[in-house]
Amino acid sequence: MSQPPGTPLRSFLDNEMQAAAEVAEAAGRPVVLGDQTVEQLTKELGEAAKAATLDMLSVNGLKHSIDVVFGQSLLITGLLQQGNRVSFRNGEESIGLRDFLDPALLLGTPVAVCRYLFSTLLRAPTAAFWVAAIFALESAVPDSPEGSDLISDVFWWGLQLFILLWMLRILFTALLRDRDSVLAESIKEACLASSGPGRAVVAVLGAAHCNGVKQSLLQGIE
């Protein structure tokens, strides 16, 4: 356990994954860490940054980055694209946009983000460096000068959007889409090892992973 009960970091870095693991262990149930290792995540971030950078240098690559970010955004918020229309996934059990707008979730988000970043810094300093570097690059872009002409303003906003797209492409690929596949595969393996029908496997996931993992699991049985 990363932060055992009674340790100084426990109250600051407590989380639902840790709480669920302790309950399972107390009940004598096996606990499986289904996520990537720190080394794998660091490697994925580097590869995602390289791929995103190369894609942003061509029109087709730029379009691909937009498709990745747009598609992942729809998946996270439980929206469905049908042709040129975007709608809610009516009748499906999934995390939706309304869930992310829950007041309690919104109030707890700053604390959750701080805990996530701090725990990442402790366990994966290299991965934390990559994330910090991505945000530092975006913040390094100078503000639009006062009194600038229309062309300068358009160029500045275009540069901001370009960097934002590059950032989201990296984060959505390495931290969400690829990890969704890893988590789904881990759940499949746990189900196969659970000794057949009638047995239950409890998966504790972050909200942003729920729809992607569900989609991966359902695609695997179709």
Side-chain angles (χ1 to χ4, degrees), residues 1-113:
M1 191 64 61
S2 297
Q3 294 87 37
T7 59
L9 289 177
R10 178 56 187 260
S11 58
F12 185 67
L13 295 180
D14 200 8
N15 58 79
E16 67 276 18
M17 315 294 178
Q18 188 167 251
E22 289 179 353
V23 170
E25 290 173 347
R29 298 290 87 194
V31 176
V32 177
L33 176 62
D35 206 346
Q36 293 172 307
T37 63
V38 170
E39 293 77 15
Q40 289 172 328
L41 179 57
T42 302
K43 181 181 178 182
E44 290 284 344
L45 278 170
E47 292 177 350
K50 180 179 178 180
T53 302
L54 292 175
D55 273 353
M56 299 295 281
L57 299 177
S58 68
V59 175
N60 288 335
L62 189 62
K63 182 179 181 301
H64 176 63
S65 294
I66 294 174
D67 290 341
V68 169
V69 171
F70 184 66
Q72 196 66 37
S73 299
L74 292 181
L75 183 61
I76 293 171
T77 54
L79 298 175
L80 179 67
Q81 183 177 14
Q82 296 176 319
N84 294 324
R85 297 179 57 191
V86 174
S87 60
F88 289 99
R89 297 172 181 267
N90 295 324
E92 292 189 22
E93 293 184 359
S94 61
I95 299 292
L97 185 60
R98 298 182 184 89
D99 299 301
F100 285 102
L101 296 178
D102 180 79
L105 179 62
L106 293 176
L107 290 174
T109 296
V111 176
V113 170

Side-chain angles (χ1 to χ4, degrees), residues 44-199:
E44 290 284 344
L45 278 170
E47 292 177 350
K50 180 179 178 180
T53 302
L54 292 175
D55 273 353
M56 299 295 281
L57 299 177
S58 68
V59 175
N60 288 335
L62 189 62
K63 182 179 181 301
H64 176 63
S65 294
I66 294 174
D67 290 341
V68 169
V69 171
F70 184 66
Q72 196 66 37
S73 299
L74 292 181
L75 183 61
I76 293 171
T77 54
L79 298 175
L80 179 67
Q81 183 177 14
Q82 296 176 319
N84 294 324
R85 297 179 57 191
V86 174
S87 60
F88 289 99
R89 297 172 181 267
N90 295 324
E92 292 189 22
E93 293 184 359
S94 61
I95 299 292
L97 185 60
R98 298 182 184 89
D99 299 301
F100 285 102
L101 296 178
D102 180 79
L105 179 62
L106 293 176
L107 290 174
T109 296
V111 176
V113 170
C114 290
R115 283 178 168 176
Y116 183 84
L117 293 177
F118 187 62
S119 63
T120 301
L121 180 63
L122 291 177
R123 294 180 296 176
T126 304
F129 170 80
W130 273 105
V131 175
I134 292 171
F135 283 99
L137 178 61
E138 197 279 335
S139 63
V141 177
D143 294 335
S144 179
E146 294 184 6
S148 58
D149 55 26
L150 178 61
I151 295 178
S152 297
D153 287 340
V154 171
F155 176 79
W156 183 84
W157 282 109
L159 182 60
Q160 290 281 358
L161 291 174
F162 185 85
I163 294 176
L164 178 62
L165 177 62
W166 178 75
M167 290 171 52
L168 292 176
R169 164 71 189 276
I170 296 171
L171 298 178
F172 279 9
T173 301
L175 297 184
L176 289 175
R177 188 187 66 186
D178 294 347
R179 288 175 68 200
D180 287 348
S181 299
V182 172
L183 291 166
E185 190 60 33
S186 297
I187 294 172
K188 289 179 187 178
E189 293 175 359
C191 289
L192 292 174
S194 67
S195 301
R199 307 279 291 180

